[in-house]
Each structure stands twice: as C-alpha cells, then as structure tokens.
Amino acid sequence: LGGRTLRARGVRTPDRGLLAERARLLGLRLELGEWGEAGADAPAMQVLHVPLRAAVKPGELDARNSAYVIETLERAADGCLAGEFDAMVTGPVHKGIINAAGVAFTGHTVMLAERTAAPRVVMTLRSLWSMLFNATALLMCCAPGFPATRAA
C-alpha cells in the first residue's frame, strides 16, 4: 500500500526500522512520515512507531516479538475506538508463535472482539482470488438463463 495513492491518509503501527528495512530489501522507495504530520507535503505513509522486542529476519518467526505483535494490534484498535483512526486493516498473525511465548492467544479476531466488546464479530478475507471468485459467481448468477434455484 505504500506505493499506491490512496484517498485516505493511512497510519502504520510497525517498528519504523523494520518497515524501512523491508522496503529496502524489496527495492521499494518509501517516504515515511511520523504519525500526525500535517500539510500538503506530509508523506502519505505515516508511521506510529511501535518498537520491536528482538531483531527480525525475513521469513523467520521469533516468539520474543509476540508482545510487539499484540501491541501493534492493541494500539490500532485503541486508535479506532478513540476516533483517532477510521479503520483498521491487519495481516496474518501466527497464533502458534504467540502461544509459544506463553501468551494465551486464540487469534486477533477474538482479541479485537473482546477489546471492543463487540457482541458479534466477522472476519473478511480480501485477495485477488476472492475478488475474482465473487465477481465470477455474481456474473454466473446474473447471466440470462441461469436458474434462480437449483435442485439439491
């Protein structure tokens, strides 16, 4: 998302150094700003720094960073609840590595439901495949001659 023009200003809650290092490894040029920077020349990608607990290697999980992962989720959720942020988007979270750190964690969907006291929670997955599948299903259902009901 860092290289795309968005209609909304976004904030990321990772470790600033981690984000910059991954961009460098991927050959991406990112201009990172501090969360809350204002003005027309403020970078589109703003970072609310949450420090890592241990150094990270791409593709390797480290239980020492479990508290960091939870803190990024909590900070983003709290910002939404306080009206500081309009929405929250997460990536995959590895429950097993967080549990290996001794933290009872059933997943961020449940964690966010508990933190927000939501009576009902829904997780949606978004990918190119899911968009193509949904569009194909819609086209099939709306196609002339497609049966409105099917016998089981």
Side-chain angles (χ1 to χ4, degrees), residues 53-106:
R53 304 309 194 271
V56 185
K57 287 185 183 176
E60 291 185 24
L61 299 174
D62 189 332
R64 295 175 297 170
N65 280 316
S66 294
Y68 159 78
V69 172
I70 291 171
E71 185 181 351
T72 63
L73 294 167
E74 290 174 342
R75 179 59 182 96
D78 291 347
C80 288
L81 291 170
E84 182 181 13
F85 312 138
D86 294 326
M88 177 178 176
V89 178
T90 67
V93 175
H94 196 289
K95 293 179 253 190
I97 200 72
I98 295 173
N99 288 313
V103 177
F105 187 76
T106 57

Side-chain angles (χ1 to χ4, degrees), residues 31-49:
E31 186 180 347
L32 302 175
E34 295 297 325
W35 170 241
E37 272 185 64
D41 60 342
M45 183 179 283
Q46 297 189 349
V47 177
L48 196 158
H49 177 73

Side-chain angles (χ1 to χ4, degrees), residues 113-127:
E114 290 171 353
R115 194 166 194 89
T116 61
R120 195 163 130 208
V121 64
V122 176
M123 175 178 40
T124 58
L125 303 174
R126 181 82 176 200
S127 69

Side-chain angles (χ1 to χ4, degrees), residues 5-62:
T5 301
L6 302 174
R7 288 182 285 183
R9 189 177 65 165
V11 61
R12 280 60 173 186
T13 58
D15 181 279
R16 184 181 186 78
L18 174 64
L19 191 59
E21 176 62 12
R22 290 305 171 267
R24 186 191 68 73
L25 288 173
L26 294 169
L28 300 174
R29 188 182 152 287
L30 290 181
E31 186 180 347
L32 302 175
E34 295 297 325
W35 170 241
E37 272 185 64
D41 60 342
M45 183 179 283
Q46 297 189 349
V47 177
L48 196 158
H49 177 73
V50 175
L52 282 166
R53 304 309 194 271
V56 185
K57 287 185 183 176
E60 291 185 24
L61 299 174
D62 189 332

